[in-house]
Amino acid sequence: MKKNNRFSNFKSKKLSKGATLSPLAADQMLQNVFTVVGTSSNAVPLAVIEDYANYKKERFITIRSILVIVIILLLLSPLLFVRGNYSVTDKTGDAQSPVYEVHVTGIFPVQVSATQNGLHVPVYDTGIRTFSIEPTKNGMMDICITFFNQQEIHHTIMVTQMDTTAPSFISSQVSNKLVYLYVSDSESGIDYASIYANDANGDIISPISYDAENGCVVFESPASSINVCIPDMAGNELLLVLTPNN
């Protein structure tokens, strides 16, 4: 009995591992299969089908990548509303102008600014998320802390420690061609090392000595009028005029 097999005319060939058919060979093989099974040929070329499959694969990868990015953004979205903790500490020392330290906790970048009556106040970066603020006058000071996500915190301080008063003249005394000036300053204190005088020619005249404990400054009795400048630690100045003792 003769075996009826429509595929008996085809000899099987094994492809080596990793080998692929060329597009022309694959299309010819597909046409042969349609002929053997008695089915009409495929109207769509195999190359078009392959291109469409590749397109679907790339589209799937693109959509999957977009979904991953969206999920990551959703997970990170709470950070858009995060505001770190902060502290403001008065670091003003004895007989000094007011200094405030701002420290912000967290891992993200932060900016600190300060204003008084619309004018900027000096702010110095002194460490990791640590800032030093030195107001220049008394009054309400607004501290603005801006986080990386543009969230802001405002902190207000009433500055009252600023010394805006010049030293006071108490009395003077002349003895042995020396002039003794007695002065005082109850706020920041007198800066004795910076006291000086100017004569009519603009020459600088330094005091002979000073006694900080008793508030006394000693100059030589001038031959002509001189202008004496006595500053305090905050930069305020007391101006006096010494005239010859006739």
Side-chain angles (χ1 to χ4, degrees), residues 179-185 190-193 195 207-219 230:
V179 179
Y180 298 83
L181 302 176
Y182 292 91
V183 293
S184 68
D185 189 285
I190 294 175
D191 185 4
Y192 288 95
I195 295 175
I208 295 176
S209 64
Y210 60 82
D211 181 358
E213 184 176 351
N214 295 312
C216 180
V217 183
V218 182
F219 281 92
I230 302 176

Side-chain angles (χ1 to χ4, degrees), residues 98-120:
V99 178
Y100 297 92
E101 181 181 270
V102 179
H103 180 72
V104 184
T105 59
I107 60 174
F108 297 106
V110 66
Q111 293 182 342
V112 174
S113 61
T115 56
Q116 278 186 306
N117 298 324
L119 300 177
H120 288 282

Side-chain angles (χ1 to χ4, degrees), residues 94-96 138 160-166 185-189 232:
D94 295 336
Q96 292 182 1
N138 291 324
T160 58
Q161 309 99 311
M162 194 71 196
D163 180 6
T164 58
T165 305
D185 189 285
S186 60
E187 296 185 53
S188 61
D232 63 11

